[in-house]
Amino acid sequence: MAFVGASWIAFFTGAIAYNIGLYNAEMQLNEKGYYFTILLFGLFAAVSVQKNVRDRMEGIKVSDLYYGISWGATLIAIVLLVIGLWNASLTLSEKGFYGMAFTLSLFSAIAVQKNVRDGQINIED
């Protein structure tokens, strides 16, 4: 239970901090939308990668196309964030904050997905 709780806390910490940073940022609304969309895209892609990897480990058939798209989407989300932050007129500390909050959110989303799936397997057994 400690790992489950820690992963949920890490997820909410990263996602909420990222969004509070966006809310308080002095940037145009379209820029805020760009960074928010990258967060959502990255979270979905990371969870999809985790599911695909886990399915393959358990012998559940996953198409190579979907597996590749999941990995590609995750990498694209990260690259888009890096490009956006590289070209943004933010201080280095702000860029670092968004990068770390994004990374924390992605990693913890993977852990939450794993825990949810493990919990469902335990219920079925």
Side-chain angles (χ1 to χ4, degrees), residues 13 17 28 35-36 41 53 68 94 108 114 120:
T13 300
Q28 294 182 1
Y35 289 112
F36 181 70
F41 178 48
V53 169
E94 289 174 304
S108 59
K114 179 198 173 302
Q120 289 176 343

Side-chain angles (χ1 to χ4, degrees), residues 88-109:
S89 58
L90 301 170
T91 63
L92 283 178
S93 61
E94 289 174 304
K95 291 178 181 184
F97 167 78
Y98 287 116
M100 294 310 297
F102 182 80
T103 304
L104 176 62
S105 298
L106 286 183
F107 177 77
S108 59

Side-chain angles (χ1 to χ4, degrees), residues 50-120:
Q50 194 281 335
K51 182 189 180 323
N52 281 308
V53 169
R54 183 80 177 263
D55 283 351
R56 284 188 167 206
M57 287 176 51
E58 294 176 357
I60 299 171
K61 184 159 176 53
V62 175
S63 74
D64 290 336
L65 178 63
Y66 187 63
Y67 185 73
I69 289 171
S70 298
W71 273 107
T74 302
L75 294 174
I76 288 168
I78 294 167
V79 167
L80 286 173
L81 180 74
V82 169
I83 290 170
L85 291 176
W86 185 273
N87 293 308
S89 58
L90 301 170
T91 63
L92 283 178
S93 61
E94 289 174 304
K95 291 178 181 184
F97 167 78
Y98 287 116
M100 294 310 297
F102 182 80
T103 304
L104 176 62
S105 298
L106 286 183
F107 177 77
S108 59
I110 291 169
V112 166
Q113 163 63 12
K114 179 198 173 302
N115 293 334
V116 168
R117 185 162 175 165
D118 289 346
Q120 289 176 343

